[in-house]
């Protein structure tokens, strides 16, 4: 996690919503007008009192009351427009952020994405973005409103009496700048901790839900429950600190409002007593002060909230600014598939050497088997062939061109890849298949499923291709899931097909029919099959054996 | 606005609410004292009767009240906070305990992402009920009453007039709530839909990227995000509407109060001091109600989340069984049938499993092997016929006792984020490190674990840092440590290389010298060594015997055996 300066986080968050700038401008203007209306309202109220107790006022009592009522109505109108703008701004910003975060995750996938816990990321896109609501819907405009409005009011009060004007200015600065800065500084660590711990709790929950069968099997409920207790407690401790601070902040800012008012009243009273100002001036100065503290008082209470926003903003910027392990390539010329070669490829994962100078040739239109014990680096090699990672040393080439010089989208078109674990979406069979080819026709779907020996099974289901598969495929057998993965690959129909243990969960007969289907469609297709099982590689033209990250004879 | 069920769920929160209201009320009293003092000062300034002593008294009063008030606000936050922490902890534990009792069946009620959102963020929304909404509700009733009494001391008419606004505002609040209820109830549903899609996209991102469909998923998420935005927009309109209405009412009431005060002053019915007190207090009069109005949306959002939580908590649980799992007895199945809806998955099964035996169940994918395992391990509930462990019917045995005595390991056994040690200890919490190493050695995992930092080697979320074979071997090691009377291994070596597979099978065979062990495999070669092999086809046991006996029967087994042998040894020609 990168530590950014608060100002950098805030300007980063503002940059993201660049196109929505004018909404902020409108809400700031409306906010200033609304606050002026508030002052006007109290001002006319005081004038009414003065009028009644026998002071001379510029307006008749009836007009004063009309002005006062109008101020109330106008004020509500301004506030309505202001808040409406702010709400819209905040909702649009959050939509924008969700999109940006998801796009960033797409860019990071898979190499960097693996390093993030899923529960934490869900928390990021829901809770953290939600936290920024306050920032976009209030904090930003409040800051601008407070600055402009305080300047106006200082000038107004100072024009009556310089001392009182200075007093007002000092009050504004104390409330709007000093208090929020101090509290935001004290709460610095806690805000960040809170967001991170909340993400951790989400991840822990997710982990437990995914493994709930095992938790039951090994009677580990108590222990996992205790784990939730510990994490909730830790989160609660941080939250306690934050909220205690918030309570402190609110009580200080509430008291400051009173102190500012009382000081103003006393100062005005003393000046009046010394005959430096008239009674009317005294009354108006007091009223102006009481009516104008609103925006700064709002700022003085946001210190701790701002902390949360900045912590969430920091987490979001971390994801948005994280560099992917490999950059997408876009500006290269198209390439045709004429075989692949792997030369002296070295690769380490977390400082553990996985591939140790491996080389192999994969001729066009051949079927190559890669065999070896589990953990020997077979799967990693396929990932490098997909350019999910790049080799630390050595080269992988398609048609004599280094993968780094092939457009990523061309590479994806050329290569199909069936991973060891097939990911099933909580959706219909049709949609689960369609992700491999978004514009696939029904005929194409059926054909691919027939090749993968899946069609007959789907047809026994009540809704056929429209049957919804349970979460993570829990309504399917492992064999059916694997065949779904293969059907996707058949639908994708690429020149080079990479298969990672494609039949590990199939019985020999089903395996045979899949291998047969692969064999029948191998015309014009190059296939790489990785397996620990010699029988899976029986259709291969060539079998390469791997051990400890290199080939063995 | 009162969420009764929540109050029953977490009664501990109620005392914090009471304390919270009390401190808020004391801080109101401080405001009243201060306003009286300041009004008195101003009045004497106007009348020209002010003394230094008076100014000092006012300053001292101001300081004291400000300090006490600050302390009260701080304390009220503290009580809100204490309530919040109590509620969150209790609710999270209640939910998780419920999930444990439901097991995998929780997915019938809510998706995983929904539960995550409900358990972390949903509960955060709910805690506001205790820390903010309830206290504010009571305070909003208490404050006008108190203020009316004080104002009544100066002028009864003013007090009554201001107080009339209270039922008006309350009615408006209730109306607003009713009017907006429908608009906001879908809030939480939309939110979790978005979260669900996001989790799906996240889990399947690699697959999506392989097929360049990640952009499509992005569009789908944006679509849901847009729907959610629309819902939020409606819900914020609620918020804005109620704030505006409350604002107008509050300022309207305030203006009426001030006018009354001034008129009374003009008529000489009250003193200047009284007039000022009424003017200042009428500002305070409506603040609590206004604040309550601004919490309306939050309260309704909380209700929306709490409904989902109650739905989960109300999901019927499997009945608690009382009998214990008898040890050292055989298992007998008589006329056992099992169906998924209309589909018959097990047909008329009659079998015995003797102690210290190793039985293999073989058959094609989809023949019912895994259903068989799930019924026998007690997970598949509602079988017909009888399965007895000794003299005890399986369906009457206590869940915990069943889990303790029957260990089921399949190909997708889950490993938890943590360390290798954490995962192994699940199987046997009291094991020493030596025992853990022994289990790893038996599965040839020791070298790998040692190279990666020993028993404290990290296991990432979803064990993504291990290969498929390593995951399976670690899962089997954990199962072996569990040391239970019955073991069911369901294709637990599908991603393991032949050499390691044989090691695991040796270990399984050894295990069967003292236990009932059932091995399910689609690979007949794995079954050869078993004393008894059951051949399943279309939900029924069609053949039974040792490998040699079955071959001599010249039936299904022999056929499949031949095909598999051929498939595995000749390869190419056969596949064509």
């Amino acid at each position: 996690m990168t530590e950014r300066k608060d100002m950098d986080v805030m300007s980063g968050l503002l940059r993201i919503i660049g196109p929505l700038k004018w909404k902020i401008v409108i809400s700031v203007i409306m906010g200033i007008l609304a606050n002026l209306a508030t002052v006007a309202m109290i001002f006319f109220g005081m004038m009414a009192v003065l009028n009644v107790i026998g002071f001379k006022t510029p307006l008749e009592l009836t007009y004063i009351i009309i002005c006062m009522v109008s101020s109330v109505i106008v004020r509500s109108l301004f506030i309505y427009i202001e808040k409406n703008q702010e709400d819209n701004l905040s909702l649009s910003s959050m939509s924008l952020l969700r999109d940006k975060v998801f796009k960033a995750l797409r860019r990071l996938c898979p190499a960097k994405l693996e390093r993030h816990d899923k529960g934490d990321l869900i928390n990021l896109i829901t809770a953290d973005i939600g936290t920024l609501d306050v920032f976009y819907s209030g904090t930003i405009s409040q800051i601008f409103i407070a600055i402009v409005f305080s300047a106006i009011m200082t000038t107004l009060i100072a024009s009556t009496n310089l001392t009182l004007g200075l007093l007002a200015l000092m009050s504004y600065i104390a409330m709007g700048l000093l208090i929020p800065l101090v509290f935001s500084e004290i709460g610095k660590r806690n805000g960040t901790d809170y967001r991170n711990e909340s993400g951790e709790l989400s991840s822990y929950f997710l982990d437990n839900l995914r493994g709930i069968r095992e938790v039951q099997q090994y009677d580990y409920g108590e222990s996992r429950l205790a784990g939730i207790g510990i994490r909730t407690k830790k989160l609660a401790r941080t939250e306690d600190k934050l909220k205690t601070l918030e309570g402190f902040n609110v009580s200080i800012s509430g008291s400051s409002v009173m102190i500012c008012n009382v000081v103003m009243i006393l100062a005005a009273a003393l000046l009046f007593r010394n005959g430096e100002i008239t009674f009317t001036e005294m009354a108006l100065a007091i009223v102006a002060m009481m009516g104008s503290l609103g925006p700064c008082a709002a700022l003085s209470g946001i210190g701790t909230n701002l902390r949360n926003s900045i912590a969430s903003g920091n987490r979001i910027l971390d994801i948005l600014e994280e560099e992917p392990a490999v950059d997408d390539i876009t500006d290269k010329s198209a390439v045709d598939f004429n075989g692949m070669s792997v030369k002296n490829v070295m690769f380490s994962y977390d400082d553990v050497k996985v591939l140790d100078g491996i080389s192999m040739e994969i001729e066009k239109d051949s079927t190559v088997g890669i065999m070896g014990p589990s953990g020997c680096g077979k799967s990693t090699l396929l990932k490098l062939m997909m350019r999910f990672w790049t080799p630390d040393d050595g080269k992988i080439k398609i048609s004599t061109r280094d993968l780094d010089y092939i457009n990523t989208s061309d590479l994806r078109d050329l290569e199909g890849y069936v991973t060891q674990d097939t990911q099933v979406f909580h959706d219909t069979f049709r949609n689960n298949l369609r992700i491999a080819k978004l514009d696939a026709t029904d005929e194409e779907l059926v054909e691919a499923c027939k090749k993968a020996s899946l069609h007959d099974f789907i047809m026994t289901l009540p809704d056929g291709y429209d049957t919804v598969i349970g979460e993570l495929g829990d309504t399917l057998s492992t064999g059916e899931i694997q065949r779904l993965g293969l059907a996707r690959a058949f639908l994708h129909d690429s020149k080079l097909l990479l298969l990672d243990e494609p039949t590990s969960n199939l019985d020999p007969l089903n395996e045979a029919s899949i291998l047969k289907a692969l064999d029948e469609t191998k015309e014009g297709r190059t296939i790489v099959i990785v397996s620990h099982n010699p029988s899976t590689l029986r259709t291969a033209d060539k079998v390469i054996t791997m051990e400890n990250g290199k080939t063995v004879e | 606005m009162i969420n009764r069920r929540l109050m029953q769920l977490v009664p501990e929160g109620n005392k914090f609410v009471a304390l919270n209201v009390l401190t808020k009320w004391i801080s109101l009293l401080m405001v009243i004292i201060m306003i009286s003092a300041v009004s008195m000062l101003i009045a004497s300034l106007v009348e020209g009767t002010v003394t230094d002593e008076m100014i000092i008294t006012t300053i001292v009063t101001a300081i004291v009240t400000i300090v006490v008030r600050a302390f009260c606000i701080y304390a009220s936050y503290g009580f809100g906070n204490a309530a919040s922490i109590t509620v969150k902890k209790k609710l999270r534990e209640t939910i998780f305990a419920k999930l444990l009792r439901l097991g995998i069946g929780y997915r019938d009620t809510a998706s995983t992402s929904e539960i995550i959102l409900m358990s972390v963020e949903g509960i955060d929304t709910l805690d506001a009920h205790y820390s903010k909404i309830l206290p504010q509700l009571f305070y909003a009733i208490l404050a006008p009453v108190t203020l009316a009494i004080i104002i009544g001391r100066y002028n009864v008419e003013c007090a009554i007039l201001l107080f009339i606004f209270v039922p008006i505002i309350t009615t408006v609040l209730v109306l607003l709530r009713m009017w907006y209820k429908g608009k906001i109830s879908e809030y939480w549903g939309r939110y979790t839909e978005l979260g669900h899609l996001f989790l799906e996209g996240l889990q399947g991102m690699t697959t999506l990227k392989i097929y360049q469909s990640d952009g499509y998923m992005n569009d789908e998420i944006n679509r849901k995000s847009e729907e959610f935005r629309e819902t939020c927009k409606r819900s914020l309109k609620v918020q804005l509407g109620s704030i505006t209405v409350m604002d107008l009412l509050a300022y309207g009431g305030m203006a009426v109060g001030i006018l009354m005060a001034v008129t009374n002053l003009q008529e000489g019915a009250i003193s200047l001091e009284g007039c000022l007190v009424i003017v200042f207090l009428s500002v305070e009069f409506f603040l609590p109600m206004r604040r309550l109005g601004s919490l309306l949306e939050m309260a309704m959002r909380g209700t929306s989340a709490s409904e989902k939580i109650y739905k989960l908590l109300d999901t019927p649980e499997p009945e608690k069984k009382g009998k214990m799992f008898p040890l050292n007895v055989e298992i007998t199945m008589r006329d056992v049938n099992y169906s998924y809806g209309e589909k018959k998955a097990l047909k008329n099964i009659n079998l015995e499993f003797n102690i210290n035996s190793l039985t293999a169940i073989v058959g094609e994918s989809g023949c019912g092997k895994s259903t068989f395992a799930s019924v026998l391990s007690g997970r598949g509930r509602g079988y017909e016929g009888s399965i007895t462990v000794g003299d005890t019917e399986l369906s009457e045995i206590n869940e915990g006792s069943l889990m303790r005595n029957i260990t089921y390991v399949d190909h997708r056994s889950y490993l938890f984020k943590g360390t290798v040690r954490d995962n192994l200890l699940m199987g046997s919490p009291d094991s020493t490190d030596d025992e853990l190493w022994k289990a790893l050695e038996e599965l040839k995992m020791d070298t790998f674990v040692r190279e990666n930092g020993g028993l404290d080697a990290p296991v990432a979320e979803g064990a993504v840092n291990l290969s498929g074979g390593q995951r399976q071997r670690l899962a089997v090691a954990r199962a072996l440590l569990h040391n239970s009377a019955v073991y069911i291994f369901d294709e637990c070596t599908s991603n393991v290389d032949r050499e390691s597979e044989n090691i695991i099978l040796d270990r399984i065979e050894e295990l069967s010298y003292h236990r009932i062990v059932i091995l399910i495999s689609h690979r007949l070669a794995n079954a050869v060594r078993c004393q008894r092999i059951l051949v399943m086809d279309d939900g029924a046991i069609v053949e039974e015997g040792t490998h040699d006996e079955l071959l001599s029967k010249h039936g299904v087994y022999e056929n499949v055996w031949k095909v598999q042998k051929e498939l595995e040894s000749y390869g190419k020609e056969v596949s064509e």
Side-chain angles (χ1 to χ4, degrees), chain A residues 363-413:
Chain A
E363 277 109 39
K364 185 174 190 273
D365 297 343
S366 69
T367 300
V368 176
I370 302 177
M371 212 173 86
S374 55
C376 71
K378 310 183 293 279
S379 303
T380 308
L381 180 62
L382 290 190
K383 286 176 186 164
L384 290 178
M385 288 176 172
M386 286 296 288
R387 206 173 160 272
F388 285 168
W389 278 269
T390 46
D392 298 338
D393 197 20
K395 295 255 180 276
I396 302 180
K397 291 177 180 173
I398 282 182
S399 318
T400 69
R401 200 193 295 181
D402 194 302
L403 291 191
D404 287 342
Y405 294 90
I406 297 174
N407 287 337
T408 307
S409 71
D410 292 344
L411 189 70
R412 299 275 179 265
D413 284 337

Side-chain angles (χ1 to χ4, degrees), chain B residues 42 112 149 176 379 381 532 544 552:
Chain B
I42 296 179
T112 308
I149 292 172
L176 274 174
R379 287 176 170 83
R381 296 190 179 95
R532 182 166 71 146
E544 182 178 344
S552 59

Side-chain angles (χ1 to χ4, degrees), chain A residues 398-553:
Chain A
I398 282 182
S399 318
T400 69
R401 200 193 295 181
D402 194 302
L403 291 191
D404 287 342
Y405 294 90
I406 297 174
N407 287 337
T408 307
S409 71
D410 292 344
L411 189 70
R412 299 275 179 265
D413 284 337
L414 283 177
E415 297 181 327
Y417 174 35
V418 177
T419 49
Q420 208 170 82
D421 296 308
T422 296
Q423 192 61 48
V424 182
F425 296 90
H426 188 22
D427 205 336
T428 60
F429 267 100
R430 187 186 307 280
N431 288 339
N432 262 291
L433 290 160
R434 272 187 55 223
I435 58 144
K437 190 180 180 191
L438 292 170
D439 56 355
T441 62
D442 283 3
E443 288 74 36
E444 286 174 313
L445 292 184
V446 170
E447 198 198 331
C449 287
K450 279 185 174 158
K451 280 184 199 162
S453 311
L454 189 61
H455 177 71
D456 291 342
F457 167 73
I458 294 179
M459 293 319 283
T460 65
L461 300 170
D463 296 320
Y465 281 85
D466 292 317
T467 309
V468 174
I469 309 176
E471 223 184 306
L472 291 182
D474 62 359
T475 53
L476 302 180
S477 79
T478 48
E480 285 147 8
I481 292 175
Q482 201 153 45
R483 281 178 277 169
L484 174 67
L486 285 159
R488 282 181 187 151
F490 283 125
L491 198 59
H492 182 57
D493 199 24
S494 55
K495 293 263 172 61
L496 173 64
L497 185 54
L498 308 175
L499 304 167
D500 192 355
E501 304 279 8
T503 56
S504 59
N505 295 311
L506 300 181
D507 62 274
L509 282 176
N510 269 306
E511 179 180 41
S513 74
I514 299 263
L515 294 176
K516 188 169 164 233
L518 279 173
D519 215 43
E520 280 167 3
T521 54
K522 74 184 212 179
E523 189 76 28
R525 200 200 307 271
T526 312
I527 302 174
V528 178
I529 309 183
V530 158
S531 178
H532 59 259
N533 183 354
S535 78
T536 312
L537 305 178
R538 60 180 176 264
T539 54
D541 302 313
K542 172 167 91 174
V543 174
I544 297 164
T545 310
M546 271 180 79
E547 212 168 285
N548 296 326
K550 46 188 154 193
T551 53
V552 288
E553 290 311 313

Side-chain angles (χ1 to χ4, degrees), chain A residues 7 23 30 57 194 221 225 292 364 368 378 387 515 551:
Chain A
M7 274 324 242
K23 286 197 175 180
M30 290 299 142
T57 50
Y194 183 68
L225 202 58
S292 67
K364 185 174 190 273
V368 176
K378 310 183 293 279
R387 206 173 160 272
L515 294 176
T551 53

Side-chain angles (χ1 to χ4, degrees), chain A residues 202-241:
Chain A
S202 294
S203 287
Y204 191 71
F205 244 100
L206 182 61
D207 206 29
N208 284 329
L209 289 176
R210 290 281 180 247
I212 198 151
R213 278 177 211 269
E214 279 68 21
V215 171
Q216 287 184 320
Q217 171 76 74
Y218 297 111
D219 192 21
Y220 235 52
E222 287 298 320
S223 151
R224 303 304 280 191
L225 202 58
I228 286 179
I230 291 169
R231 279 163 183 80
T232 301
K233 237 190 203 145
K234 197 169 149 206
L235 187 65
R237 257 202 303 274
T238 314
E239 198 187 356
D240 191 33
K241 279 186 214 152

Side-chain angles (χ1 to χ4, degrees), chain A residues 10 23 42 54 92 132 136 152 156 171 218-219 282 319 336 349 360 378 382 448 486 495 538-539:
Chain A
M10 289 207 270
K23 286 197 175 180
I42 305 180
S92 307
L132 289 180
Y136 287 120
I152 296 176
L156 271 179
S171 307
Y218 297 111
D219 192 21
M282 172 189 92
I319 289 285
D336 203 26
Y349 188 90
M360 62 177 68
K378 310 183 293 279
L382 290 190
L486 285 159
K495 293 263 172 61
R538 60 180 176 264
T539 54

